[in-house]
Amino acid sequence: GQQVMQIPQYQHVQEGEDFTTYCNSSTTLSNIQWYKQRPGGHPVFLIQLVKSGEVKKQKRLTFQFGEAKKNSSLHITATQTTDVGTYFCAVGNNRKLIWGLGTSLAVNP
Amino acid sequence: EAQVTQNPRYLITVTGKKLTVTCSQNMNHEYMSWYRQDPGLGLRQIYYSMNVEVTDKGDVPEGYKVSRKEKRNFPLILESPSPNQTSLYFCASSLSEGRQPQHFGDGTRLSIL
């Protein structure tokens, strides 16, 4: 079945440093979603990418969808302590989503 | 306020004692699903429902049942809970299908002793 690999599993940064997490698939994706889960919280939808080569920005967050639609990245510029949490990518079809295992981000103030 | 409500938030119970985790959404969403989240295993889908009276198995359905008699409610039933079902459970809903943005409940932490 469809799988999505997410790396790294953990990332520890100093506040102000940048952070990137990657999702990779062996198959072409129709779309990819990104979620954030704060410690003790539930996943919260951030964005969905659909088009090849698409780049979307939300303040300090930049999301990219690869030209071949087999990979995606989430980049955070100048991390803040409020960015702490686990970031998940999810891919799917009309019936279900397949989730990456997530990247847990820790930020040292 | 648009929300997905799960109850209970926490439950400690014993092996074999039937339990139900309720999930209700007020957004008139057609698609609902249940996930369990375990350390190192991420989010795994248990069951999903495309609409009223339409349910199907996800990736880890063994030991669970669901029903969708009304659009807003999607209860998760553990007929005979076992310790390996100790987990954090999330209910989620979306407008009409799985690949649309999912709205999650706050989660239910189940401990089966």
Side-chain angles (χ1 to χ4, degrees):
Chain A
Q2 187 169 46
Q3 287 188 324
V4 58
M5 303 296 294
Q6 191 171 354
I7 56 171
Q9 191 174 359
Y10 303 99
Q11 187 84 55
H12 203 147
V13 300
Q14 286 293 129
E15 189 171 21
E17 291 182 339
D18 292 356
F19 159 79
T20 306
T21 174
Y22 302 89
C23 268
N24 299 296
S25 171
S26 58
T27 60
T28 301
L29 306 170
S30 61
N31 67 84
I32 190 164
Q33 298 177 18
W34 286 93
Y35 292 76
K36 176 184 179 181
Q37 184 177 20
R38 294 180 187 273
H42 59 271
V44 175
F45 173 76
L46 294 176
I47 208 158
Q48 179 168 276
L49 305 173
V50 196
K51 299 177 184 175
S52 168
E54 190 169 15
V55 178
K56 287 188 176 180
K57 292 192 176 187
Q58 291 179 351
K59 296 184 180 178
R60 294 178 294 105
L61 277 61
T62 302
F63 304 84
Q64 293 191 340
F65 204 5
E67 292 288 343
K69 298 182 75 173
K70 289 186 175 182
N71 56 74
S72 180
S73 65
L74 158 58
H75 179 83
I76 302 179
T77 304
T79 54
Q80 300 176 358
T81 54
T82 53
D83 295 324
V84 165
T86 301
Y87 294 84
F88 293 96
C89 62
V91 302
N93 53 37
N94 63 326
R95 296 188 168 271
K96 54 194 295 188
L97 280 178
I98 306 296
W99 294 75
L101 293 183
T103 297
S104 292
L105 172 65
V107 180
N108 269 355
Chain B
E1 181 190 351
Q3 57 186 6
V4 178
T5 304
Q6 293 178 230
N7 279 297
R9 292 291 315 279
Y10 305 91
L11 180 63
I12 302 173
T13 188
V14 296
T15 298
K17 186 176 180 183
K18 180 180 178 179
L19 68 91
T20 299
V21 184
T22 63
C23 175
S24 181
Q25 51 92 5
N26 63 1
M27 295 169 279
N28 202 35
H29 282 172
E30 291 183 353
Y31 183 94
M32 298 185 74
S33 65
W34 277 102
Y35 294 91
R36 60 178 289 173
Q37 186 174 36
D38 302 287
L41 297 177
L43 282 156
R44 294 180 293 167
Q45 192 178 50
I46 303 170
Y47 269 94
Y48 65 94
S49 170
M50 300 291 288
N51 213 324
V52 175
E53 301 292 1
V54 181
T55 63
D56 208 346
K57 296 177 181 178
D59 297 315
V60 288
E62 293 77 21
Y64 304 95
K65 287 174 60 176
V66 293
S67 69
R68 188 93 182 271
K69 294 184 170 58
E70 307 163 283
K71 199 172 194 178
R72 63 184 293 127
N73 296 323
F74 191 44
L76 179 70
I77 303 154
L78 285 71
E79 293 268 1
S80 184
S82 62
N84 65 11
Q85 293 177 299
T86 292
S87 187
L88 178 59
Y89 291 85
F90 288 104
C91 178
S93 73
S94 68
L95 193 59
S96 62
E97 61 177 27
R99 62 185 154 197
Q100 292 172 324
Q102 301 289 307
H103 300 257
F104 282 81
D106 287 338
T108 296
R109 188 165 290 283
L110 282 183
S111 293
I112 316 293
L113 305 177

